[in-house]
């Protein structure tokens, strides 16, 4: 649960909104619901509601997000927000348009406790969990911005470790599916590999997509890059992934940020291909984005292509992802990082 006690607009379920409006005609809750969820309006702008009621409701149901910075890339295909939260903290949301879909990347925590050295959010440490409402509101804001294009996909790849904030995150998944109508397979949970969370997901009835941020396929290197690997080593993680794939029927994907001279070797490609073969997983490759506290650079283009070739030679599917929106600081915690001084972290050994 969140350490905060103030709930915001999108933390309230339809039933709870109904309780707030118990003294009003029944259709008021429908109007409020349609305004908030159907049209993504500010309460003040829901013109079907009487003005006094709007004022009262706006005070009772404050927004969770206040725009601090909003940027759009030159080609208009990437949009990024830095939101101020009600307690003064800040998180990022990124909206990305592709020819066939529009995807929002949402944050699940302010900061992160996982301490992956190459990640801008990990470099800052954990501050607090977001509430379900704060996550849902990111989706609503992005959906409004995407119009007339239809927001089709949600990925939990913004700030934070979603499975470390399981209840609020899963609450948001349910709301995104049930109240906003996105299909389960178009919602992707991205995790550093918290086994208890993956096992809980396998028990849920909603089969969403799972992405695991692997980044290394041997325990020694993975523990260096992703410290939680010490607690949840690769073989156990693979078992949990297997259980999720069996329960959900979804294909698993591995995220792999290519770091020059660190995890872009043939040895790693061989170990990764073996893991993918067992789990029938797909790999998403992305050259590491630069972050303030991590001196090593992303693998240059030729090395990325070589790594992909080593995988395809071993019958493993790997897609190369673009670093979207670097010029608007849209990549991986850059917007918030550019607002504060990043701490320095240890450099991994080159190999
Ligand atoms: N905590 C979750 C989700 C947030 S991070 C997770 O670990 O999956 C979303 C993705 O961005 C992860 O795959 C993460 O490893 C990756 N990432 C973090 N910093 C990055 C960087 N500097 N360059 C490229 N990818 C990065």
């Amino acid at each position: 649960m969140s350490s905060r006690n103030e709930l915001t607009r999108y933390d309230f379920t339809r039933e709870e909104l109904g309780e707030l409006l118990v003294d009003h005609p029944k259709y008021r809750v429908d109007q409020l619901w349609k305004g908030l969820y159907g049209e993504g309006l500010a309460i003040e702008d829901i013109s079907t509601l009487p003005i006094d009621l709007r004022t009262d409701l706006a005070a009772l149901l404050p927004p969770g997000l206040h725009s601090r910075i909003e940027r759009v890339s030159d080609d208009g295909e990437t949009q990024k927000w830095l939101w101020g939260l009600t307690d003064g903290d800040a998180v990022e949301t990124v909206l990305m348009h592709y020819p066939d879909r529009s995807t929002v990347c949402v944050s699940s925590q302010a900061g992160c406790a996982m301490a992956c050295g190459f990640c801008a959010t990990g470099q800052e440490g954990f501050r607090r969990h977001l509430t379900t409402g704060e996550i849902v509101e990111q989706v609503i804001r992005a959906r409004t911005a995407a119009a007339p294009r239809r927001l089709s996909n949600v990925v939990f790849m913004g700030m934070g470790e979603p499975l470390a904030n399981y209840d609020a995150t899963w609450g948001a998944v349910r709301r995104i599916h049930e109240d906003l109508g996105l299909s389960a397979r178009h919602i992707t949970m991205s995790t550093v590999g918290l086994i208890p969370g993956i096992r809980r997901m396998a028990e849920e009835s909603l089969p969403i997509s799972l992405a695991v941020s692997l980044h290394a396929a041997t325990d020694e290197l993975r523990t260096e890059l992703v410290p939680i690997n010490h607690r949840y080593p690769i073989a156990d993680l693979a078992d949990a992934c297997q259980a999720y794939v069996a329960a959900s029927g979804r294909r698993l994907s591995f995220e792999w940020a290519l770091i020059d001279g660190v995890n872009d070797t043939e040895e790693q490609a061989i170990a990764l291909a073996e893991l993918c073969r067992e789990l029938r997983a797909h790999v998403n490759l992305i050259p590491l984005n630069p972050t303030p506290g991590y001196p090593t650079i992303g693998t240059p283009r030729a090395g990325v292509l070589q790594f992909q070739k080593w995988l395809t030679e071993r019958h493993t599917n790997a897609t190369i992802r673009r670093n979207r929106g670097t010029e608007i600081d849209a990549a991986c915690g850059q917007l918030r990082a550019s607002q504060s001084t990043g701490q320095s972290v240890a450099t991994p050994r080159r190999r």
Side-chain angles (χ1 to χ4, degrees):
M1 264 317 281
S2 164
S3 54
R4 292 163 64 255
N5 40 31
E6 193 194 349
L7 295 177
T8 58
R9 198 152 284 187
Y10 289 98
D11 281 304
F12 290 75
T13 61
R14 195 181 171 113
E15 290 68 38
E16 288 164 345
L17 293 176
E19 284 161 25
L20 287 179
L21 289 168
V22 63
D23 296 333
H24 294 267
K26 251 186 130 53
Y27 56 82
R28 292 290 179 221
V29 69
D30 299 330
Q31 291 169 330
L32 176 60
W33 187 261
K34 185 161 176 259
L36 284 177
Y37 286 85
E39 296 164 84
L41 293 172
I43 292 180
E44 297 79 350
D45 298 331
I46 305 177
S47 56
T48 46
L49 296 174
I51 194 102
D52 290 354
L53 184 57
R54 281 186 241 167
T55 312
D56 292 350
L57 285 173
L60 277 173
L61 304 168
L65 309 178
H66 301 272
S67 176
R68 275 200 201 163
I69 303 178
E70 194 175 327
R71 288 189 192 158
V72 182
S73 63
D74 293 339
D75 62 8
E77 298 298 278
T78 307
Q79 184 165 354
K80 171 140 186 173
W81 295 264
L82 181 71
W83 303 110
L85 306 175
T86 49
D87 59 358
D89 221 308
V91 295
E92 301 176 356
T93 304
V94 186
L95 169 65
M96 291 161 288
H97 299 292
Y98 300 89
D100 60 334
R101 65 188 190 280
S102 292
T103 300
V104 63
C105 173
V106 296
S107 294
S108 56
Q109 298 178 318
C112 184
M114 296 299 119
C116 304
F118 57 85
C119 172
T121 311
Q123 289 159 20
E124 291 183 40
F126 175 74
R127 295 185 306 282
R128 75 163 169 88
H129 293 312
L130 297 193
T131 65
T132 291
E134 287 167 329
I135 300 170
V136 171
E137 192 170 341
Q138 294 173 62
V139 180
I140 299 261
R141 300 289 198 113
R143 188 188 63 174
T144 305
R149 288 188 267 201
R150 194 177 75 81
L151 183 76
S152 53
N153 295 60
V154 175
V155 296
F156 285 82
M157 291 187 186
M159 300 175 127
E161 168 48 44
L163 297 184
N165 182 18
Y166 193 94
D167 292 337
T169 300
W170 197 263
V173 165
R174 292 187 62 112
R175 304 283 295 279
I176 291 162
H177 176 64
E178 288 162 20
D179 298 337
L180 302 180
L182 268 71
S183 80
R185 73 196 156 87
H186 290 161
I187 303 173
T188 302
M189 188 66 72
S190 179
T191 177
V192 73
L194 299 190
I195 292 176
I198 296 172
R199 294 211 175 267
R200 270 182 84 178
M201 278 178 65
E203 305 285 307
E204 305 280 359
S205 57
L206 208 56
I208 67 168
S209 300
L210 177 65
V212 171
S213 300
L214 199 64
H215 306 310
T218 54
D219 281 316
E220 191 194 359
L221 180 59
R222 190 163 193 266
T223 298
E224 218 175 286
L225 297 176
V226 178
I228 198 71
N229 187 72
H230 185 67
R231 186 136 131 224
Y232 301 121
I234 294 171
D236 299 349
L237 177 57
D239 286 347
C241 290
Q242 183 75 67
Y244 188 73
V245 170
S248 67
R250 293 276 175 249
R251 197 184 54 173
L252 175 73
S253 51
F254 286 132
E255 305 295 309
W256 194 283
L258 282 161
I259 311 174
D260 192 28
V262 175
N263 64 354
D264 54 4
T265 60
E266 186 168 14
E267 177 212 350
Q268 284 296 318
I270 293 170
L272 172 59
E274 175 59 24
L275 208 54
C276 290
R277 196 184 53 75
E278 285 165 24
L279 295 166
R280 305 186 45 202
H282 176 99
V283 180
N284 287 317
L285 299 171
I286 187 165
L288 184 83
N289 278 308
T291 59
Y294 192 79
T296 313
I297 60 164
T299 301
R301 184 76 188 162
V304 174
L305 292 170
Q306 173 64 73
F307 196 80
Q308 183 189 38
K309 188 158 168 277
W310 283 325
L311 293 174
T312 37
E313 281 167 2
R314 291 170 180 85
H315 314 289
T316 295
N317 270 327
T319 311
I320 299 173
R321 301 274 171 185
R322 274 198 297 143
N323 295 98
R324 296 266 302 222
T326 27
E327 91 274 16
I328 55 164
D329 282 346
C332 303
Q334 288 178 342
L335 198 56
R336 192 178 187 286
S338 70
Q339 299 283 298
S340 58
T341 40
Q343 256 172 276
S344 200
V345 293
T347 326
R349 266 192 324 280
R350 285 177 65 93
R351 39 192 88 209

